[in-house]
């Protein structure tokens, strides 16, 4: 049978303490595997082992074992079942993959979750999931505040002249705003360090795809490495080497530069208001700031960074900057 992107099969049966045991294997299209051991009559999970890939494809084994089990009272069991159903429905509405490692929510997703927090908390009350529901509430409220502050910063910057810059390129030479005049420019602030490196890799793969799609129309992309090791004489050489490895690993063709952090401070570091990098800034062909986005974008499987691409598409229309 299948569940999402996973396919499962009962491979053998056995007995333990007089109860029938099912041994199950699962596989996913991207190569991950699971082995499960469950009680045949109830489906209770006894143990599980799953492949986990981190960093640049490093493989680890995650193993869990059930050491005890308690039966919930009927009312609590019913509410846990309802909560599980609501959470799965919410996951679909948010359009998040079950295996997503990204914790951040977009503004659209926050709008969907906020009205449902009270219902989730009520269902979880006095059940084993009460603490989980409380953590969800705290995280959603924190992210709601983060997005509100990011939107305030965007309003402060919109249609203002973008600061000029001259950055040292990791591969040598300079990236200068003077040479980009008349272009629509995407600035992408991120660490650009080889390690630690984990999905979604700063979304640079999607940015590279978008760059190749739009560069013939006058769009330029500049990556700005926020790795502080690049600024230190004793660590600059090794930091540059690590960034070059990342460029090769992700097949990036747009230039990547760095400075002493001044450009990020000029736009406003989203981390100062509880947000995270990457930071995305779009500068129009007339030199005005037209977009400011802290954190990751929602990804459309067919269109990639759809929200960012829509900003660029509007900028490329005739009379967009008149």
């Amino acid at each position: 049978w299948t569940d999402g992107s996973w396919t499962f099969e009962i491979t053998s049966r056995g007995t333990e303490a007089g109860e029938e045991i099912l041994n199950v294997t699962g596989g996913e299209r991207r190569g991950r595997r699971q082995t499960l051991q469950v009680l045949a009559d109830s489906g209770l999970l006894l143990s599980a082992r799953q492949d986990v890939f981190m960093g640049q494809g490093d493989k680890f084994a995650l193993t869990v074992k059930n050491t005890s089990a308690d039966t919930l009272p009927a009312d609590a069991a019913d509410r846990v079942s309802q909560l599980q159903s609501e959470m799965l429905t919410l996951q679909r509405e948010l359009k998040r993959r079950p295996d997503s490692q990204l914790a951040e929510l977009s503004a659209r997703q926050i709008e969907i979750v906020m009205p449902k927090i009270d219902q989730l908390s009520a269902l979880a009350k006095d059940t084993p999931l009460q603490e989980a529901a409380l953590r969800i509430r705290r995280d959603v409220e924190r992210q709601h505040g983060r997005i509100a502050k990011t939107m305030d910063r965007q309003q402060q910057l919109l249609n203002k002249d973008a600061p000029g810059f001259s950055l040292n390129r990791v591969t040598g030479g300079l990236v200068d705003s003077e040479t980009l005049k008349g272009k629509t420019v995407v600035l992408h602030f991120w660490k650009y360090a080889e390690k630690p490196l984990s999905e979604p890799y700063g979304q640079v793969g999607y940015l590279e795809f978008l760059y190749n799609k739009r560069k013939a129309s006058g769009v330029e992309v500049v990556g700005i490495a926020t790795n502080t090791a690049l600024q230190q004489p004793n660590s600059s050489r090794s930091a540059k080497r690590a960034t070059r490895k990342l460029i090769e690993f992700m097949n990036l063709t747009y230039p990547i530069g760095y400075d002493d952090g001044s450009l990020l401070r000029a736009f406003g570091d989203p981390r100062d208001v509880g947000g995270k990098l990457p930071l995305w800034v779009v500068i129009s062909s007339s030199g005005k700031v037209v977009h400011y986005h802290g954190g990751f974008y929602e990804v459309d499987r067919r269109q990639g960074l759809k929200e960012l691409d829509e900003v660029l598409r509007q900028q490329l229309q005739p009379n967009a900057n008149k």
Side-chain angles (χ1 to χ4, degrees):
W1 72 95
T2 60
D3 184 359
S5 62
W6 287 84
T7 299
F8 296 93
E9 178 183 5
I10 298 173
T11 53
S12 64
R13 297 171 183 264
T15 58
E16 185 172 309
E19 296 190 272
E20 185 179 11
I21 303 296
L22 302 179
N23 294 305
V24 180
T25 60
E28 194 246 10
R29 60 175 175 265
R30 288 183 294 178
R32 293 182 300 161
R33 294 290 180 266
Q34 291 184 15
T35 56
L36 312 171
Q37 191 177 63
V38 300
L39 288 178
D41 61 347
S42 66
L44 180 68
L45 180 67
L46 299 178
S47 65
R49 182 185 184 280
Q50 176 173 312
D51 294 336
V52 178
F53 294 91
M54 301 176 67
Q56 298 184 27
D58 297 326
K59 182 179 178 181
F60 298 86
L62 173 65
T63 303
V64 295
K65 186 174 179 63
N66 188 341
T67 58
S68 65
D70 295 321
T71 301
L72 290 175
D75 175 64
D78 182 60
R79 284 186 287 115
V80 166
S81 179
Q82 291 182 56
L83 181 60
Q84 181 184 31
S85 178
E86 289 293 333
M87 292 293 287
L88 290 172
T89 299
L90 182 59
Q91 184 183 68
R92 289 191 292 270
E93 291 177 355
L94 297 181
K95 298 181 181 179
R96 292 172 71 86
R97 297 200 320 260
D99 61 342
S100 175
Q101 299 180 36
L102 186 61
E104 290 184 42
L105 299 175
S106 67
R108 179 193 72 83
Q109 291 169 331
I110 288 290
E111 289 182 0
I112 292 173
V113 175
M114 284 294 289
K116 300 185 178 183
I117 287 296
D118 288 341
Q119 179 192 14
L120 299 180
S121 298
L123 288 172
K125 186 177 180 180
D126 298 326
T127 76
L129 297 180
Q130 180 170 301
E131 177 64 22
L134 177 60
R135 289 177 180 271
I136 290 172
R137 175 185 287 277
R138 289 173 177 168
D139 184 61
V140 169
E141 290 175 347
R142 177 187 62 79
Q143 294 205 47
H144 181 264
R146 166 182 59 81
I147 289 176
K149 291 175 181 177
T150 299
M151 295 300 292
D152 287 344
R153 182 56 182 164
Q154 175 167 278
Q155 290 304 313
Q156 295 170 13
L157 289 171
L158 281 183
N159 299 316
K160 300 290 196 321
D161 290 332
F165 58 86
S166 181
L167 307 171
N168 294 302
R169 286 189 64 163
V170 171
T171 55
L174 296 174
V175 184
D176 197 301
S177 56
E178 286 295 317
T179 65
L180 300 173
K181 283 187 174 181
K183 302 279 189 177
T184 299
V185 180
V186 180
L187 302 181
H188 177 258
F189 295 84
W190 189 55
K191 58 187 178 183
Y192 282 98
E194 178 200 14
K195 294 178 181 180
L197 182 62
S198 59
E199 188 183 358
Y201 309 112
Q203 295 188 330
V204 295
Y206 291 108
L207 181 57
E208 173 68 21
F209 173 82
L210 183 55
Y211 173 54
N212 286 312
K213 176 182 176 181
R214 294 296 186 188
K215 63 183 179 181
S217 301
V219 171
E220 294 291 340
V221 171
V222 177
I224 298 96
T226 59
N227 181 9
T228 56
L230 288 165
Q231 305 166 17
Q232 308 300 323
N234 61 342
S235 60
S236 177
R237 180 177 296 181
S238 61
K240 289 178 184 178
R241 185 165 56 249
T243 302
R244 288 194 292 268
K245 287 182 179 179
L246 172 65
I247 292 171
E248 295 173 2
F249 174 67
M250 300 299 297
N251 295 314
L252 304 180
T253 60
Y254 58 84
I256 297 171
Y258 66 96
D259 65 356
D260 61 359
S262 299
L263 188 57
L264 178 57
R265 289 192 295 271
F267 284 108
D269 190 334
R271 294 173 294 185
D272 292 342
V273 292
K276 295 181 180 179
L277 297 178
L279 171 65
W280 318 71
V281 178
V282 178
I283 302 171
S284 71
S285 58
S286 60
K288 305 290 185 180
V289 177
V290 294
H291 182 68
Y292 175 99
H293 180 94
F296 294 106
Y297 289 105
E298 284 190 66
V299 172
D300 184 288
R301 291 189 177 184
R302 293 174 298 176
Q303 296 176 274
L305 303 178
K306 184 177 179 180
E307 181 181 345
L308 178 59
D309 193 27
E310 179 61 22
V311 173
L312 297 179
R313 190 186 64 80
Q314 292 177 6
Q315 288 301 307
L316 295 174
Q317 291 179 352
N319 305 316
N321 298 300
K322 292 184 179 180

